[in-house]
Amino acid sequence: TDKDITVRSELTGDWVSEDGDALWLFQLEPDNSYSLAYVENNDTSWFVAHLVQLRDRLFMDMYPDPNDVVSDAYKVHLVAAHTFSKIDFDSGIVTMSVLDADWLRHRLDSGKLNIAHELLGPGDLVLTASTAELQKFMLSIVDDSTAFAPFQLLPLNPSNDTL
């Protein structure tokens, strides 16, 4: 929600995935969102991202930029699904942790988890709970390391403080 949105200046800039395969380019916008260009295999995808503070934890909510250059006919067939990830800043490195799909599916299938969702096809699962329910769910599992798949973003052009 708007009241949960926060800004962290250290996210602004150019980042590279730890395996070197993808660039994440963040630019802070006047509305406190971030414009995110994700570049992989010479392909650029545009997203809108917000940092969200829930209690003492930081998350990122990102979704496809509706202004991305694709045809209107193509856009009609897309659902602007949100990806909600834990995010941590530590010593100039960003660690993003996405919800592990296998972990989620196993808990839903076994009845250990009850949250509104839809199966859209083989392997496609979408959580459909309300914002409040999703926030409560994420806070309930935020410290379960098995629930998340972390990856790191490293600064593309780290500053050299020794110059």
Side-chain angles (χ1 to χ4, degrees):
T1 63
D2 288 345
K3 71 175 180 53
D4 302 312
I5 292 174
T6 190
V7 170
R8 295 284 293 265
S9 61
E10 60 262 50
L11 183 59
T12 300
D14 302 341
W15 301 86
V16 61
S17 60
E18 59 192 320
D19 61 11
D21 289 344
L23 297 176
W24 296 66
L25 314 173
F26 289 92
Q27 179 178 323
L28 182 61
E29 299 296 336
D31 66 354
N32 290 334
S33 69
Y34 294 85
S35 175
L36 167 58
Y38 175 82
V39 183
E40 186 175 28
N41 299 325
N42 294 319
D43 226 6
T44 302
S45 301
W46 293 92
F47 296 88
V48 175
H50 291 94
L51 291 180
V52 178
Q53 185 83 40
L54 301 179
R55 294 191 193 139
D56 63 339
R57 300 307 296 260
L58 193 61
F59 296 88
M60 179 181 291
D61 175 26
M62 60 184 263
Y63 54 91
D65 187 336
N67 298 314
D68 197 352
V69 182
V70 293
S71 72
D72 288 339
Y74 186 76
K75 286 181 185 180
V76 166
H77 294 88
L78 297 178
V79 174
H82 291 244
T83 301
F84 204 66
S85 309
K86 286 192 317 183
I87 186 166
D88 293 293
F89 296 91
D90 186 32
S91 302
I93 295 173
V94 174
T95 300
M96 293 181 63
S97 301
V98 295
L99 192 56
D100 184 282
D102 292 334
W103 179 92
L104 180 61
R105 184 175 294 281
H106 173 72
R107 277 164 184 71
L108 289 168
D109 290 347
S110 68
K112 294 179 182 177
L113 178 60
N114 183 20
I115 189 165
H117 66 282
E118 291 291 330
L119 297 174
L120 303 178
D124 293 333
L125 181 133
V126 176
L127 297 179
T128 58
S130 71
T131 298
E133 291 169 319
L134 289 170
Q135 288 180 353
K136 182 179 177 183
F137 166 64
M138 291 301 284
L139 286 171
S140 74
I141 63 167
V142 72
D143 293 320
D144 182 347
S145 62
T146 65
F148 295 92
F151 61 94
Q152 292 186 327
L153 301 179
L154 310 172
L156 185 59
N157 298 309
S159 63
N160 187 343
D161 295 331
T162 61
L163 294 178

